[in-house]
Amino acid sequence: TGSGSVLTARTQHAKRVVPGEIPQPSIPVNSHNEWDPLEEVIVGRPDGACVPQFTTEVKANTNEKYWDFYKKYGGTPFPDKHIEKAKQEVEEMCNVLRHEGVIVRRPDVINWEKDYKTPDFSSPVGLYSAMPRDILIVFGNEIMEAPMAWRSRFFEYRAYRSLLKEYFKAGAKWTAAPKPLMGDELYDNTYPIESIEDRHRLAKEGRFVTTEFEPCFDAADFIRAGRDIFVQRSQVTNHLGIEWLRRHLGPEYRVHELTFHDPNPMHIDATFNIIGPGLVIANPDRPCNQLKMFEKFGWKIVQAPKPTLSDDHPLWMSSKWLSMNVLMLDEDRVLCSKVEKPIIKMFEKLGIKTVQVDITHANSLGGGFHCWTTDVRRRGELQSYI
Ligand code: NVA
C-alpha cells in the first residue's frame, strides 16, 4: 500500500546512523496532495519583482491588454507603490497562516535587476520569487526544482537554495529537474499570436510557444492527488517535460495528461484545482475534456463562480480566475480571497470554513494563494484516491 512505502522511507532514513550523530527522527518534507493538514509552507516574496523582457514566450503567456506595458517596462522593476502594497498583503497572509498553526518559510531576498548571459541566451532581469508553486513541487519526502521555461526565470531557484539546503540536511530528498538550455530552439519564434481567436485556434491545434526541443516544465502545471498526478501541456510545460517527470516518479505514480478548452494554458491551478479527496473546483470557462474519467473515479467536480475583480485592477500575468486558486489548510479549511464573495459562498455550501485575506495587489504578479505558496509538509501518507 501507499502508506507502506512512506513507512519504508521513514525507517530507512532513521536507520542511516552516522557514528557520533543523532539520527533525525522527523521528515522535514512530506506532502502527497493538496489538502492534507498543512504544517509548513513556503510563501513567496514580492520584493524586487521585475517586469520580464517582452520576448516570444512572454507575449504568448500574457493578455494583449498589457503588451504595451511589457514593451515599455520590460527589464525594469514592477511599479514600487504596487509592490509595497503587495508586500503588506503577503505579510498579512503569512500572519494569518501562522495564526492557523502553520510554519511559514520565505525565500531569500534576491536582486532581480542583475542582467545575465548564458552560452545560449541573455536576459536583462530575473522575474521574481513571488510564486514558489511555479518552481517547487513536493512528492512525498522529495522536493523538486522545476526546470522552468521563461528565460527570466532560469535562475529563480537561487532564491530557494537556503531553504533547500536546510531541508536536505534535515533528511529530505532534493532534486533539480534538468535545466533546458533555453536557446532559440525551445521557442517557436513564428508562433502567430495577435488575437484571442489566434489563441483559441492554436491551443485547439495543440500548438504552443514552447517546442519539444528539450524538456521543460513549470511545477504549477502539475496538481497532486496522492498516487495520481494531473498535468496539462501548456505554454511552459511540454510533452518531454511531462515524460521526464513520469519516468522520474516511476511506477508508484500515475501521471495523467488533461486538456482543457483554454486559449492560453499556463499553470493548472486556476483551471482545475483539486481541493479534497475526489473534490475539484473546475473553471467553467475552461471545461476539461476528460470529465468522463473523473465521473468514473466518482469524483465531485464543482464549477467555480465567476470572479468579481474589477477590470481596472491590473493583472499583469494572469486572468481573474485567481479567485479559485486557493490553498487548502486541511480538508475543512481554505485560505481564500476576502473580496471574492461568490466563491466564499461556494465554500460555505460545501461545508468548508473560509480563512480570508485580501491579496488583490499581490494577485497582479500572476498568482492567488496556491501560486504564492508551496506546501512543504502536510500530515498524511501516500494513498490512492481513485
Ligand atoms: N494562467 C492561468 C493560471 C494562473 C494561476 C490564468 O491566468 O488563469
Side-chain angles (χ1 to χ4, degrees), residues 184-195:
D184 290 343
E185 300 91 339
L186 182 58
Y187 310 99
D188 179 355
N189 280 307
T190 63
Y191 190 71
I193 192 162
E194 288 303 334
S195 64

Side-chain angles (χ1 to χ4, degrees), residues 232 260 262 267-273 281-283 286 324:
Q232 62 174 356
F260 301 90
D262 184 353
H267 304 164
I268 200 167
D269 49 354
T271 299
F272 194 83
N273 195 2
I281 316 178
N283 183 322
R286 303 173 187 165
M324 59 174 279

Side-chain angles (χ1 to χ4, degrees), residues 115-226:
D115 61 339
Y116 52 83
K117 192 171 180 340
T118 79
D120 302 289
F121 72 92
S122 60
S123 179
V125 288
L127 183 67
Y128 54 36
S129 59
M131 310 294 162
R133 183 71 57 186
D134 297 357
I135 185 163
L136 296 176
I137 189 161
V138 173
F139 298 103
N141 68 350
E142 174 175 11
I143 186 159
M144 182 187 292
E145 294 171 25
M148 315 307 284
W150 282 19
R151 288 172 169 174
S152 56
R153 309 192 78 172
F154 188 86
F155 286 113
E156 199 164 305
Y157 63 86
R158 295 175 67 248
Y160 300 94
R161 282 288 169 95
S162 302
L163 284 171
L164 289 163
K165 279 188 287 184
E166 182 194 316
Y167 292 136
F168 177 67
K169 286 180 190 165
K173 194 169 162 185
W174 171 19
T175 310
K179 292 296 281 177
L181 301 181
M182 293 192 191
D184 290 343
E185 300 91 339
L186 182 58
Y187 310 99
D188 179 355
N189 280 307
T190 63
Y191 190 71
I193 192 162
E194 288 303 334
S195 64
I196 188 77
E197 289 78 28
D198 285 341
R199 284 172 192 255
H200 273 288
R201 179 175 51 81
L202 292 162
K204 231 182 191 163
E205 290 169 9
R207 276 186 72 189
F208 301 98
V209 73
T210 46
T211 66
E212 294 291 340
F213 179 72
E214 57 191 339
C216 65
F217 64 86
D218 278 12
D221 273 318
F222 294 83
I223 196 147
R224 304 156 307 154

Side-chain angles (χ1 to χ4, degrees), residues 266-267 269-270 286 318-319 321-322 325 366 371:
M266 177 173 175
H267 304 164
D269 49 354
R286 303 173 187 165
S318 77
S319 72
W321 286 104
L322 298 180
N325 184 261
C371 301

